[in-house]
Amino acid sequence: MWVQSLMALVLLSTSASAATSASPKKVLSKHATILADNSAKFAFSLYQKMAKEKDVENILISPVVVASSLGLVALGGKASTASQVKNILNAAKVKDDQLHSGLAELLSEVSDPKTRNVTWKISNRLYGPSSVTFVDEFVKSSQKHYNCDHSKINFRDKKSAVNSINEWASKSTDGKLSEVTKDVEKADGAMIINAMFFKPHWNEQFHHKMVDNRGFVVSRGYTVSLQMMHRTGLYGFLDDKTNKLSILSIPLAHKKSTVVFFMPHHVESLERLEKLLTQKQLDKWMGALKQTAVAVSLPKVSMEVSHNLQKHLGELGLTDAVNKSKADFSNMSGKKDLYLSSVLHASALEWDTDGNEMDTSIFGTDKLKDPKLFYADHPFIFLVKDKSTKSILFLGRMVRPKGDKIRDEL
């Protein structure tokens, strides 16, 4: 009898274990899925507006975090000040409360450090002029959905205001972002600031000792010296001869997301490639990638980039919130005494060799025979794409990495 009981317990344990291992992956709610699906279109629209701006070199934005900032605008706004946010995010069919819960759900899902095994610190703060009082309900809701804290500041004392903002950003990112702004242009508006530090953790690490100094060709007459890291492995790869670029996809830890690099065959302005970037074209490229042996060389550098997105969001349709005479943020302050003067989006990104242990079983086999070369030694575009939600976590370009100029020898 006890043998039968023991067998029953074993079977019960086994079936429970199987049920656990076969438990379905977390599925986003319908409204969060809509917001995730539309993130690529929004990402490319915003990126292309930024790319047209003169004197902008490196670009780095997190579309899902920018979407959260827009959600904060909708939370504090009324009438068209709020409804324009939905139009920008292509979410007209999403109800107001679902917009906020959906954005919170999406960001929580893609930035979870335990399941993602990445370093991604995100801090959000809303600054208002010292004359404004924030409504309690707004404060509670913004903390709940967007993990946003609040501060009143005397913008008229520009030096002190700038120092306070930069100190907060530096502290929020463990010193990675020392300066997110040099000036406070307007003293009577609200300012939304995102401060982030993102460090990808590769699914298979690069060789720690295979790091050396190389030249990165910024333009035909300008080269900088920087460190490059190297490894050979099996990656998603496409050589698009028609559009004269190579595409490489490298998975991050746990293969939850992937970094996709878009590299022109030759040193050139990225304008031609940027015009090709659409959600439809991205889907086409991703569908054409094939597992290929690739010898990869990537810059081992950090990027610190701060953008004021107010103008670009205005170009995408956020016109009322940034207009002093039209803005209605009475849900935020209780009356029409605020408008959005700045949306600062600051990110520090660190490319390093760190990652999981390599699969050494393929070394010395035919799988790595005659690898393709992917040598990122001139300006390129990259994005971080989440696999399950299809959302774009980061989108940017590296045009001028940090490094000393190499003197041209005649």
Side-chain angles (χ1 to χ4, degrees), residues 316-336:
L316 291 175
L318 193 74
T319 55
D320 285 12
V322 300
N323 187 313
K324 188 175 181 179
S325 62
K326 292 184 178 180
D328 183 351
F329 280 110
S330 48
N331 281 340
M332 185 184 292
S333 65
K335 49 187 177 180
K336 294 184 180 181

Side-chain angles (χ1 to χ4, degrees), residues 130-389:
S130 50
S131 59
V132 166
T133 300
F134 293 119
V135 175
D136 288 343
E137 184 59 34
F138 168 78
V139 171
K140 291 177 183 176
S141 295
S142 59
Q143 289 174 339
K144 174 185 175 182
H145 295 300
Y146 302 112
N147 195 27
C148 180
D149 60 12
H150 310 74
S151 179
K152 293 195 290 184
I153 195 169
N154 181 11
F155 287 125
R156 298 185 187 281
D157 186 349
K158 289 192 174 184
K159 184 176 180 180
S160 177
V162 167
N163 288 339
S164 295
I165 292 168
N166 286 334
E167 285 174 9
W168 168 80
S170 178
K171 185 178 180 180
S172 300
T173 56
D174 297 333
K176 300 295 182 180
L177 285 172
S178 59
E179 183 181 87
V180 298
T181 186
K182 294 181 179 180
D183 190 20
V184 175
E185 296 179 5
K186 298 171 183 176
D188 57 349
M191 177 184 288
I192 297 174
I193 303 182
N194 314 129
M196 293 174 288
F197 171 52
F198 184 74
K199 183 177 180 179
H201 190 90
W202 306 108
N203 191 57
E204 289 190 30
Q205 66 190 7
F206 280 69
H207 295 279
H208 297 305
K209 294 183 179 180
M210 290 183 65
V211 176
D212 53 16
N213 291 322
R214 300 284 180 101
F216 186 97
V217 185
V218 176
S219 62
R220 295 194 182 278
Y222 196 100
T223 301
V224 297
S225 174
L226 50 71
Q227 287 191 316
M228 295 279 277
M229 53 189 183
H230 316 275
R231 71 150 299 183
T232 300
L234 290 174
Y235 301 111
F237 181 79
L238 173 67
D239 186 25
D240 185 343
K241 291 183 171 60
T242 302
N243 291 307
K244 300 177 182 177
L245 76 150
S246 298
I247 300 170
L248 176 71
S249 176
I250 304 182
L252 296 183
H254 303 334
K255 298 185 178 180
K256 296 274 189 178
S257 55
T258 183
V259 185
V260 186
F261 299 90
F262 305 89
M263 189 84 187
H265 284 168
H266 306 290
V267 179
E268 61 173 280
S269 163
L270 293 175
E271 184 179 0
R272 178 187 66 85
L273 176 53
E274 286 165 340
K275 289 180 179 178
L276 296 174
L277 281 178
T278 62
Q279 186 171 5
K280 184 178 180 180
Q281 182 62 63
L282 175 64
D283 291 341
K284 184 178 178 180
W285 277 328
M286 296 299 287
L289 294 176
K290 292 183 179 180
Q291 283 293 104
T292 308
V294 187
V296 181
S297 296
L298 295 178
K300 182 180 179 292
V301 294
S302 61
M303 288 174 65
E304 294 86 33
V305 186
S306 182
H307 304 286
N308 189 347
L309 302 180
Q310 184 211 25
K311 171 187 171 185
H312 308 301
L313 292 174
E315 291 170 341
L316 291 175
L318 193 74
T319 55
D320 285 12
V322 300
N323 187 313
K324 188 175 181 179
S325 62
K326 292 184 178 180
D328 183 351
F329 280 110
S330 48
N331 281 340
M332 185 184 292
S333 65
K335 49 187 177 180
K336 294 184 180 181
D337 57 349
L338 268 184
Y339 70 105
L340 192 61
S341 61
S342 295
V343 180
L344 291 181
H345 188 75
S347 309
L349 171 65
E350 192 171 296
W351 301 106
D352 206 342
T353 58
D354 295 342
N356 297 334
E357 291 294 324
M358 296 181 194
D359 176 11
T360 57
S361 66
I362 62 172
F363 292 151
T365 69
D366 287 343
K367 290 182 179 180
L368 297 183
K369 189 178 181 181
D370 300 324
K372 301 289 185 180
L373 299 180
F374 190 89
Y375 193 67
D377 68 341
H378 56 273
F380 58 87
I381 296 171
F382 62 91
L383 60 84
V384 181
K385 185 175 177 63
D386 182 60
K387 286 195 171 183
S388 61
T389 67

Side-chain angles (χ1 to χ4, degrees), residues 3-194:
V3 174
Q4 290 177 328
S5 300
L6 181 60
M7 290 297 293
L9 284 172
V10 170
L11 287 170
L12 184 63
S13 173
T14 303
S15 61
S17 176
T20 301
S21 61
S23 59
K25 296 179 181 179
K26 183 179 178 182
V27 178
L28 290 180
S29 63
K30 183 178 179 180
H31 41 281
T33 301
I34 291 173
L35 294 164
D37 289 344
N38 293 336
S39 69
K41 183 178 179 181
F42 167 64
F44 294 135
S45 297
L46 177 58
Y47 176 92
Q48 286 168 347
K49 295 291 183 186
M50 299 172 69
K52 292 177 181 178
E53 190 172 344
K54 293 182 179 179
D55 302 324
V56 171
E57 294 177 329
N58 298 333
I59 291 177
L60 184 59
I61 54 172
S62 172
V64 291
V65 174
V66 178
S68 293
S69 293
L70 288 170
L72 191 67
V73 171
L75 185 66
K78 284 185 177 180
S80 55
T81 299
S83 63
Q84 286 177 351
V85 168
K86 287 186 180 181
N87 293 332
I88 296 173
L89 297 177
N90 303 295
K93 295 181 180 179
V94 178
K95 296 179 181 179
D96 290 351
D97 58 335
Q98 292 177 337
L99 176 73
H100 306 305
S101 62
L103 287 171
E105 183 185 351
L106 174 60
L107 189 56
S108 175
E109 167 65 18
V110 299
S111 63
D112 183 354
K114 291 183 180 178
T115 59
R116 301 280 162 166
N117 197 17
V118 297
T119 300
W120 192 3
K121 295 186 177 182
I122 306 170
S123 297
N124 303 304
R125 176 167 279 196
L126 173 66
Y127 283 97
S130 50
S131 59
V132 166
T133 300
F134 293 119
V135 175
D136 288 343
E137 184 59 34
F138 168 78
V139 171
K140 291 177 183 176
S141 295
S142 59
Q143 289 174 339
K144 174 185 175 182
H145 295 300
Y146 302 112
N147 195 27
C148 180
D149 60 12
H150 310 74
S151 179
K152 293 195 290 184
I153 195 169
N154 181 11
F155 287 125
R156 298 185 187 281
D157 186 349
K158 289 192 174 184
K159 184 176 180 180
S160 177
V162 167
N163 288 339
S164 295
I165 292 168
N166 286 334
E167 285 174 9
W168 168 80
S170 178
K171 185 178 180 180
S172 300
T173 56
D174 297 333
K176 300 295 182 180
L177 285 172
S178 59
E179 183 181 87
V180 298
T181 186
K182 294 181 179 180
D183 190 20
V184 175
E185 296 179 5
K186 298 171 183 176
D188 57 349
M191 177 184 288
I192 297 174
I193 303 182
N194 314 129

